[in-house]
Amino acid sequence: TIDCRLYFARGMIQMIESKLIMDLHITLYDDHIFCRLVDELLTFHSKWKILLGRIANVVNIFRFLSHSEIFAKWLHVERKFAIERLDNLLTDGDAWNSQYSSDYSSENDLSKVPQSAEALVNFLNLMTQRFVDLPSRALRLKFLDLQLELVDDIRVRILQLLRELWSTPMCQRFASILNFLTFFTDAMVEWSSETVYIELQQGELNNDAIIGSLFDRNRNDNISDNVFSESLVLYKRVQCEMCTAIVDDVMADIKINSRSYLSKTKWFCVPSQSSYSTMTVSDSSCEMLLIIRDRLFTLNTKLTRSTFVDIWRQLAAQLNEYFFNELIIRNKFSEGGCMQLDFDMRRNLFAIFSEFTSKPENYFKDLKDSCILLNLSSGTIFLLIETLTDSRLGNSKKLETLQELGVYNMTPNKALTVIHQRQENPRN
């Protein structure tokens, strides 16, 4: 049977191509006219697919656009206007403000994402829609190369903006840029699972020298190989550096405000308390705890949830190490000092982080175990020292003994070091 729609489609496309070829002497030498022409052709193609269905995959206007001279011009125009678009988006006065709300909410990540991030993601999505129906994989790869070039250009521009901000990582602009990177990397991860990019990845990319470097399987990272792997590694490196800068800045404030708590408190002569119900937080710790609480609150209101989770976990890990090395290992504790330390840690420091996790003590393993060991009864301590110093017992038996007491994350030697910080230790 004769498919009338197929003959109609061929005739229509031939007529359009003939007209386009006649006008090439005008369209090829004016970027704005050519850009408008491409937009009209792509709009026509979208309607053509709806009208003709599968036939549009066989007979379409992309044969004209795939001609070497015309495609080269198309790619040139796309690159030119894309760079102009990047300039406008990243230098706009509202580039780093959210388009949804000027009041940052800790409950809504979109209200923290700069409008420039969403605009650039949408822009690159539209570019994908423009080239996705190109019949030639080689031509689609050239568009992919352009996209990767733009993605890297964005990263370089971000690094330029950060030059003046590394010294003030708690400022709003720094947080906005970090939110930008989080949103943009999440978008790249999503793109990598789209059909068009999977097909390009699985193609014979080794014929294209520009794309071939994307598939080096010797990289030691946790990002699965895809067309955006290299870009993701570079973007995540900047994210990690920014998160580290924020944590380091917060820790610097904490260390300044914890000096009195660490060095001036006479832990070896703190009087004993009858119970926790009569205890209050150490006076010298109040300013330090307020700094921790306030910095976490500020970061929670500025950063997207995933980024904030990474930062508070990094901060908890550093606090755990800091207090263990600078407080517990460097002081001797009376019975009352042990109780006060336990109260300050469990009821105050851990409580600050309980807003973000149901078990904050799991992020302060050394502190939690130290508090358990320091507050054991004298009899239990005596028996524990006997066990941990008994050369006849294997390491597994010693670890089992510690675990029975609730100490799961310390080696026997480390546990002994903590026990020896007790002023009333039977072996002191």
Side-chain angles (χ1 to χ4, degrees):
T1 60
I2 298 175
D3 192 330
C4 296
R5 293 191 305 164
L6 178 59
Y7 277 92
F8 168 79
R10 286 174 176 169
M12 176 69 76
I13 294 298
Q14 287 174 359
M15 181 177 66
I16 293 173
E17 288 179 345
S18 298
K19 173 61 177 172
L20 291 172
I21 292 171
M22 289 176 58
D23 294 338
L24 276 180
H25 67 286
I26 299 174
T27 55
L28 276 181
Y29 301 102
D30 188 309
D31 289 349
H32 291 280
I33 293 177
F34 185 84
C35 186
R36 179 63 183 271
L37 172 64
V38 172
D39 286 342
E40 292 294 335
L41 290 177
L42 293 175
T43 301
F44 170 80
H45 177 70
S46 298
K47 296 178 179 179
W48 188 252
K49 287 199 301 182
I50 296 173
L51 179 66
L52 296 179
R54 293 183 179 180
I55 293 177
N57 296 328
V58 179
V59 182
N60 57 57
I61 203 63
F62 278 110
R63 184 176 67 174
F64 171 78
L65 290 173
S66 299
H67 187 277
S68 60
E69 184 180 9
I70 297 170
F71 181 80
K73 180 66 176 181
W74 181 15
L75 203 61
H76 165 77
V77 170
E78 289 282 354
R79 177 179 284 103
K80 175 184 175 181
F81 288 110
I83 292 174
E84 290 180 5
R85 180 66 171 160
L86 293 189
D87 287 335
N88 293 334
L89 286 174
L90 294 178
T91 58
D92 184 85
D94 293 324
W96 303 105
N97 297 327
S98 171
Q99 63 176 326
Y100 298 102
S101 171
S102 60
D103 180 23
Y104 283 81
S105 167
S106 60
E107 301 298 325
N108 187 358
D109 276 357
L110 280 178
S111 68
K112 303 172 187 178
V113 175
Q115 60 187 32
S116 56
E118 292 190 81
L120 285 170
V121 167
N122 291 336
F123 175 74
L124 291 170
N125 274 329
L126 288 173
M127 182 179 288
T128 303
Q129 294 173 20
R130 290 161 73 84
F131 77 78
V132 67
D133 287 329
L134 277 168
S136 167
R137 177 184 285 117
L139 298 183
R140 294 199 301 273
L141 284 173
K142 290 184 180 297
F143 261 100
L144 173 61
D145 180 49
L146 173 57
Q147 285 187 314
L148 295 175
E149 178 185 328
L150 294 173
V151 165
D152 195 59
D153 192 10
I154 293 169
R155 181 185 62 85
V156 172
R157 291 167 189 254
I158 291 295
L159 289 174
Q160 291 171 346
L161 290 170
L162 284 172
R163 286 178 182 175
E164 300 177 356
L165 299 175
W166 286 112
S167 60
T168 55
M170 289 296 292
C171 71
Q172 181 59 60
R173 176 63 61 87
F174 197 89
S176 296
I177 292 176
L178 185 50
N179 291 336
F180 177 105
L181 293 173
T182 301
F183 185 81
F184 203 79
T185 52
D186 288 346
M188 282 194 283
V189 171
E190 290 183 12
W191 292 338
S192 65
S193 63
E194 292 181 2
T195 303
V196 58
Y197 294 115
I198 293 175
E199 290 177 349
L200 290 176
Q201 175 196 0
Q202 294 174 344
E204 304 240 341
L205 299 183
N206 58 329
N207 293 329
D208 192 309
I210 298 175
I211 305 299
S213 63
L214 293 172
F215 298 93
D216 176 13
R217 296 188 177 275
N218 294 321
R219 286 194 308 271
N220 293 320
D221 56 68
N222 295 321
I223 301 173
S224 300
D225 280 328
N226 58 68
V227 293
F228 293 103
S229 290
E230 191 171 272
S231 298
L232 282 168
V233 169
L234 295 174
Y235 268 78
K236 287 184 178 294
R237 182 179 301 164
V238 180
Q239 284 180 275
C240 290
E241 291 173 354
M242 294 182 72
C243 289
T244 299
I246 290 175
V247 173
D248 289 347
D249 188 74
V250 174
M251 281 300 300
D253 282 346
I254 293 171
K255 289 177 181 179
I256 291 173
N257 289 278
S258 65
R259 289 172 183 170
S260 176
Y261 182 65
L262 296 182
S263 60
K264 294 183 180 180
T265 304
K266 297 180 180 179
W267 296 100
F268 62 89
C269 61
V270 175
S272 298
Q273 301 285 334
S274 58
S275 67
Y276 281 120
S277 62
T278 61
M279 297 181 67
T280 60
V281 64
S282 300
D283 292 340
S284 57
S285 71
C286 291
E287 190 172 0
M288 172 193 72
L289 293 170
L290 285 173
I291 289 290
I292 297 173
R293 186 201 65 181
D294 292 346
R295 293 295 183 273
L296 286 171
F297 175 80
T298 300
L299 291 170
N300 194 21
T301 58
K302 288 182 177 180
L303 299 173
T304 56
R305 177 169 177 76
S306 61
T307 302
F308 175 69
V309 168
D310 288 340
I311 285 179
W312 78 250
R313 287 178 176 175
Q314 288 184 45
L315 182 61
Q318 289 203 24
L319 286 172
N320 175 69
E321 181 181 2
Y322 175 64
F323 286 126
F324 181 78
N325 292 324
E326 302 299 325
L327 174 60
I328 294 173
I329 299 302
R330 293 198 175 192
N331 288 281
K332 292 291 185 179
F333 296 85
S334 64
E335 181 181 350
C338 295
M339 291 181 66
Q340 186 64 55
L341 174 69
D342 186 70
F343 185 85
D344 290 344
M345 296 296 109
R346 292 181 182 274
R347 303 291 182 90
N348 294 279
L349 177 62
F350 297 177
I352 293 174
F353 288 84
S354 64
E355 183 179 349
F356 319 119
T357 175
S358 59
K359 294 187 176 181
E361 64 276 6
N362 289 345
Y363 297 91
F364 298 90
K365 294 178 180 179
D366 288 334
L367 290 180
K368 181 186 74 171
D369 287 352
S370 296
C371 288
I372 292 173
L373 290 171
L374 290 173
N375 285 277
L376 293 174
S377 65
S378 297
T380 304
I381 281 289
F382 182 85
L383 293 175
L384 181 58
I385 292 175
E386 289 289 328
T387 301
L388 297 181
T389 56
D390 191 339
S391 59
R392 296 170 298 176
L393 296 177
N395 196 61
S396 58
K397 177 60 178 177
K398 296 176 182 179
L399 289 173
E400 182 182 339
T401 302
L402 287 171
Q403 290 171 7
E404 289 175 356
L405 297 171
V407 177
Y408 293 96
N409 303 287
M410 281 193 179
T411 63
N413 287 336
K414 193 173 184 178
L416 279 171
T417 300
V418 173
I419 291 171
H420 288 150
Q421 304 311 113
R422 277 176 57 124
Q423 191 72 15
E424 296 86 1
N425 176 9
R427 291 293 183 89
N428 277 354

